[in-house]
Amino acid sequence: ARTDSAAHSCRLRLATMTRHPVLLRAPCCVALLALGLVAGCALGGDANVEPSYDHQNRTYVPQFSPVHLASTDAVVKPFFSPDNSVQTYVDIIQSATSDLSIGTPGWSSWNGCTNWGSRQCVGCDPAKMRADTFPVFQATLNALHRGVSVRILSNNYNEPNCAGMIGPLAFLALNGADIRFYDETTFMHAKFVAADKKVAALSSVNFSHASMMKNREAGMVLSGNGADPFVREMLSIFDNDFENGLPYVVNQEYDADDLAIIQNKSEISLTMPTPFSYPGAYIARPQAVRGIKDEIVLFASPDFALETLLEDLNKTESSLDLHIYQITDDVLCSFLVDAHEAGVKVRVLVSRHIYDTYDWRAAQVCNKKLVAAGIDVQQTPSYYEYSHQKYYIRDNSVVGLSTGNWSPSDYPQEKVDDGYPAYGTQGWQRVNRDLNIRVTSDDVVAEFQNVFDGDYAQGTPYSKY
């Protein structure tokens, strides 16, 4: 997510906490969530006051069971920011000939047209928005103009377009994109793109400049005939959330001159940036792995996610490497301590920088607990703005990747029977929609292990700073 001076000015309020919710003033909450860096952000107190981003108005009952498939000819290609995320997303979008589905927590402009949290509205003049240099925006607009059906699912931060101005979502909507706001649970945290129902990517990558160009991020692309069950399942989850979502409405009217700029169908030349390079940084050049001889497992959060994650983690025999932005869930933090005490070699690589003050403080609780137990905790290299990736490697043979952190909102306690109540009702809790994938493959593991080892070598031992 993008560092924003307005968001930096946000200040936390104290709150009553259930496991780990955070209370922020609404404009600050919008800024942090839109930038995709805050794990906990809730408006508490009066149960009748709706958080600016929480539009859940009915109980969500888990419905998506994990999908397992062994010995598949699926093609799995890892990708990483800042090295190749932009190219990966652009390639998928450009490959679309009939339909494109995009799930993202927010959509930032690279030209300053989404100055989240600095005012009560967003946007810039139509000509500046059309000239936005975000390659994913450019590629998506071109896809619309060549007749591709585009669906976008994101969060509603209650920040409309300013008068006479237009932001990226409104611009895409006026070019034919069908856009909905997520309301199944508290927050849409999954990062997902699928083209033509044949290829799909899930990752930690937000649609922002820093996430694409300055952070360490991680994801996987699934394609090939063997990937069909997983692409279908991801689309099934997306379809459910999209169909139940709230329609996006462009709140401004534009005159003929503005519409001529907005709906100009001439192809936009892509502005492909050169990835940032840092002296000594490990540069990921992942290769596609064709054919998974062992197993792929796909599952959604909150649907049985904690149970499915722990089921695999409890199989750990010798080693566990965790490369993650932050750990704020006590259940998962305690698992690491228990594994270490059982003789497992545990290495934890956490982000040196955490955007939100409260999240940083909450993460220190687990970090200090791990260090006190004798676990090797390393901070990621300082040249990344944030190390926002979320994956683990078990016994050098399994890699598990998520769009969410090890937090109570991304892996909530199971509520299979009663479900997760709507905001403002008894039993409500913060619950995110996330996607998770686990792959058993030496070749896929090697790609992630190389990144872990490269960043680990340039990191430093954990210290509270």
Side-chain angles (χ1 to χ4, degrees):
R2 178 173 61 87
T3 301
D4 188 300
S5 59
H8 271 306
S9 68
C10 294
R11 293 296 181 264
L12 293 165
R13 288 194 288 152
L14 296 178
T16 302
M17 293 174 255
T18 303
R19 294 184 82 203
H20 171 225
V22 165
L23 214 61
L24 295 175
R25 298 187 186 278
C28 299
C29 204
V30 170
L32 296 171
L33 284 161
L35 300 180
L37 282 169
V38 65
C41 187
L43 186 63
D46 186 352
N48 295 317
V49 178
E50 186 180 70
S52 62
Y53 59 90
D54 189 335
H55 300 275
Q56 183 186 357
N57 58 15
R58 59 193 174 277
T59 296
Y60 178 77
V61 178
Q63 56 189 297
F64 298 104
S65 299
V67 174
H68 301 250
L69 197 63
S71 188
T72 170
D73 60 349
V75 178
V76 176
K77 185 174 182 180
F79 64 96
F80 303 90
S81 292
D83 308 313
N84 32 62
S85 290
V86 173
Q87 190 67 60
T88 297
Y89 275 107
V90 166
D91 287 348
I92 293 173
I93 294 168
Q94 287 187 314
S95 75
T97 59
S98 61
D99 56 88
L100 187 64
S101 300
I102 299 173
T104 176
W107 194 309
S108 294
S109 160
W110 285 21
N111 278 14
C113 298
T114 49
N115 194 12
W116 301 109
S118 64
R119 48 188 176 173
Q120 297 302 312
C121 56
V122 298
C124 54
D125 68 79
K128 184 176 180 180
M129 188 64 247
R130 178 176 169 80
D132 198 296
T133 56
F134 185 14
V136 171
F137 172 79
Q138 296 170 332
T140 303
L141 194 58
N142 285 342
L144 285 162
H145 292 163
R146 65 174 182 268
V148 174
S149 173
V150 175
R151 299 183 300 166
I152 300 171
L153 182 66
S154 191
N155 294 296
N156 182 5
Y157 302 108
N158 289 330
E159 287 206 341
N161 298 285
C162 302
M165 304 293 182
I166 190 167
L169 290 183
F171 204 99
L172 294 171
L174 290 176
N175 279 278
D178 189 354
I179 303 174
R180 308 281 175 90
F181 286 136
Y182 178 80
D183 70 345
E184 282 289 81
T185 61
T186 305
F187 190 65
M188 167 74 176
H189 197 238
K191 298 88 173 170
F192 163 79
V193 176
D196 297 339
K197 302 178 179 65
K198 295 179 180 178
V199 56
L202 68 159
S203 74
S204 64
V205 184
N206 289 296
F207 278 18
S208 70
H209 185 268
S211 194
M212 295 275 179
M213 300 298 298
K214 296 183 179 180
N215 292 359
R216 172 62 85 197
E217 309 272 4
M220 293 188 199
V221 179
L222 279 71
S223 61
N225 292 333
D228 286 349
F230 304 104
V231 175
R232 284 199 303 269
E233 181 65 10
M234 283 188 273
L235 281 170
S236 178
I237 297 165
F238 180 91
D239 290 346
N240 171 82
D241 296 346
F242 189 84
E243 290 165 8
N244 290 316
L246 303 170
Y248 173 81
V249 177
V250 179
N251 69 298
Q252 298 292 343
E253 294 185 358
Y254 302 92
D255 62 26
D257 290 340
D258 284 342
L259 286 175
I261 295 171
I262 294 168
Q263 297 176 331
N264 180 351
K265 295 186 181 300
S266 59
E267 184 175 3
I268 296 177
S269 298
L270 300 189
T271 309
M272 295 301 292
T274 301
F276 287 103
S277 60
Y278 308 94
Y282 178 79
I283 299 175
R285 298 183 177 89
Q287 300 297 310
V289 177
R290 300 179 182 278
I292 305 300
K293 298 178 181 178
D294 296 302
E295 183 184 49
I296 301 179
V297 180
L298 177 78
F299 57 103
S301 298
D303 307 55
F304 319 106
L306 182 61
E307 169 190 329
T308 305
L309 175 63
L310 287 172
E311 180 183 11
D312 185 63
L313 291 176
N314 283 324
K315 296 177 182 177
T316 307
E317 295 179 353
S318 59
S319 65
L320 184 70
D321 287 343
L322 175 62
H323 199 183
I324 197 160
Y325 180 59
Q326 62 186 27
I327 309 168
T328 56
D329 184 273
D330 187 60
V331 171
L332 294 171
C333 186
S334 296
F335 164 81
L336 296 172
V337 173
D338 292 342
H340 169 74
E341 292 177 348
V344 173
K345 180 182 179 182
V346 178
R347 295 191 298 172
V348 179
L349 188 55
V350 295
S351 183
R352 177 180 301 274
H353 308 299
I354 293 178
Y355 188 84
D356 174 57
T357 303
Y358 184 91
D359 277 354
W360 177 82
R361 289 173 178 165
Q364 305 318 303
V365 174
C366 180
N367 291 345
K368 289 189 287 186
K369 181 176 181 177
L370 298 179
V371 171
I375 293 175
D376 183 0
V377 180
Q378 192 93 335
Q379 291 175 313
T380 52
S382 60
Y383 39 72
Y384 297 127
E385 190 160 310
Y386 300 98
S387 291
H388 191 243
Q389 71 301 306
K390 309 138 194 331
Y391 68 87
Y392 68 88
I393 300 168
R394 175 175 67 78
D395 296 328
N396 301 309
S397 61
V398 176
V399 58
L401 178 140
S402 175
T403 65
N405 297 296
W406 280 19
S407 74
S409 54
D410 297 310
Y411 292 99
Q413 297 286 359
E414 310 298 343
K415 290 190 176 181
V416 176
D417 297 326
D418 299 330
Y420 300 94
Y423 181 80
T425 62
Q426 185 175 4
W428 172 86
Q429 67 184 92
R430 291 187 58 255
V431 175
N432 291 349
R433 167 67 82 206
D434 277 295
L435 293 173
N436 310 265
I437 189 168
R438 188 171 75 237
V439 179
T440 305
S441 163
D442 290 346
D443 292 334
V444 175
V445 166
E447 298 288 356
F448 285 89
Q449 191 70 64
N450 288 340
V451 173
F452 181 94
D453 291 343
D455 287 357
Y456 186 90
Q458 295 296 318
T460 56
Y462 165 78
S463 63
K464 184 177 179 180
Y465 58 96

